[in-house]
Amino acid sequence: MYKSVAQTAQDLNMPVEQVMHYIYVGRIKAVHDGEQFLVNSGQFDTYHQQIERIKEEIEIWRNTPIPDDIDVKDED
């Protein structure tokens, strides 16, 4: 499905100017229909999967308790 640059920027949580820069340098593939650039949203499937995986790993890391330090001795 093709989306406008503004819609793509909103989906990626990026400024429109950054998305346009990525289009110009070739990091985002887009077609120009004579009036505007259109971006195929299918090229971001892997990106969204990686973001979700990273969010899950961060949540696991946050929920992992800190182990007791084996070098601490209670001498009180």
Side-chain angles (χ1 to χ4, degrees):
M1 174 170 150
Y2 285 92
K3 294 184 178 182
S4 70
V5 174
Q7 292 170 332
T8 302
Q10 184 178 14
D11 288 347
L12 298 176
N13 294 325
M14 292 182 182
V16 174
E17 295 80 16
Q18 186 175 10
V19 173
M20 288 301 295
H21 173 73
Y22 286 161
I23 290 171
Y24 288 137
V25 297
R27 290 183 65 184
I28 294 177
K29 296 176 183 139
V31 287
H32 192 265
D33 70 350
E35 296 178 12
Q36 63 180 349
F37 283 102
L38 297 173
V39 179
N40 187 347
S41 60
Q43 65 184 309
F44 301 111
D45 291 341
T46 304
Y47 170 78
H48 290 298
Q49 290 170 355
Q50 290 174 348
I51 292 296
E52 289 301 318
R53 184 180 55 83
I54 289 170
K55 286 180 182 177
E56 291 171 2
E57 288 179 7
I58 289 172
E59 192 62 34
I60 290 170
W61 176 76
R62 284 183 178 162
N63 292 330
T64 304
I66 298 173
D68 292 334
D69 189 9
I70 59 174
D71 294 334
V72 174
K73 296 177 183 172
D74 189 22
E75 296 183 7
D76 287 338

